Amino acid sequence: MESAKVSACSVFVRSIMEYRRLGQTDLELSGLGLDLWKTSSKWTQRNDRDYAITLLQKAFQLGVTFFGAADTHGHRLGEEIVAKALKGLRHQVVIGTQFLCPSSDLD
């Protein structure tokens, strides 16, 4: 029964998610995005790879197609999580990246 509730919720959220074209490109992305810094860096108490992968996969199921990662997120852990969580979905998502400074500067 719980699975049916989650599935119904996913269908509902996907139906109300807004999608936008990125500038004058052909890229279309969700109005809401998900960045990984909170789940893959030492700035948070939660540095759990499996949790982060599940979180990204659930976000995709709910209609999120815009994800962010950076090499400074957990010394590239964020990028590894995005790659694993969204494997096989590359042409269905947009992945943004940021850069700040060498990761060693954040120790």
Side-chain angles (χ1 to χ4, degrees):
M1 186 67 166
E2 187 65 31
S3 178
K5 288 180 185 176
V6 170
S7 181
C9 178
S10 297
V11 170
F12 173 72
V13 172
R14 262 186 131 22
S15 72
I16 62 172
M17 177 67 73
E18 292 184 21
Y19 295 91
R20 301 180 178 136
R21 207 154 287 292
L22 182 61
Q24 295 186 18
T25 72
D26 289 336
L27 292 175
E28 185 177 81
L29 50 137
S30 55
L32 296 175
L34 180 62
D35 192 84
L36 277 175
W37 76 272
K38 284 267 234 192
T39 58
S40 62
S41 70
K42 66 183 180 181
W43 297 324
T44 182
Q45 296 299 314
R46 185 145 203 165
N47 190 347
D48 181 337
R49 184 183 309 242
D50 292 333
Y51 171 80
I53 289 169
T54 300
L55 181 68
L56 262 71
Q57 291 171 339
K58 188 58 168 172
F60 177 75
Q61 291 171 5
L62 292 172
V64 175
T65 61
F66 181 45
F67 297 90
D71 62 351
T72 56
H73 296 170
H75 297 283
R76 295 180 186 79
L77 177 61
E79 292 172 327
E80 293 173 19
I81 290 169
V82 167
K84 187 164 192 159
L86 303 177
K87 185 177 183 176
L89 301 173
R90 181 62 191 110
H91 297 289
Q92 299 175 55
V93 298
V94 175
I95 301 171
T97 189
Q98 315 92 44
F99 61 92
L100 174 66
C101 56
S103 296
S104 61
D105 291 350
L106 299 176
D107 290 336

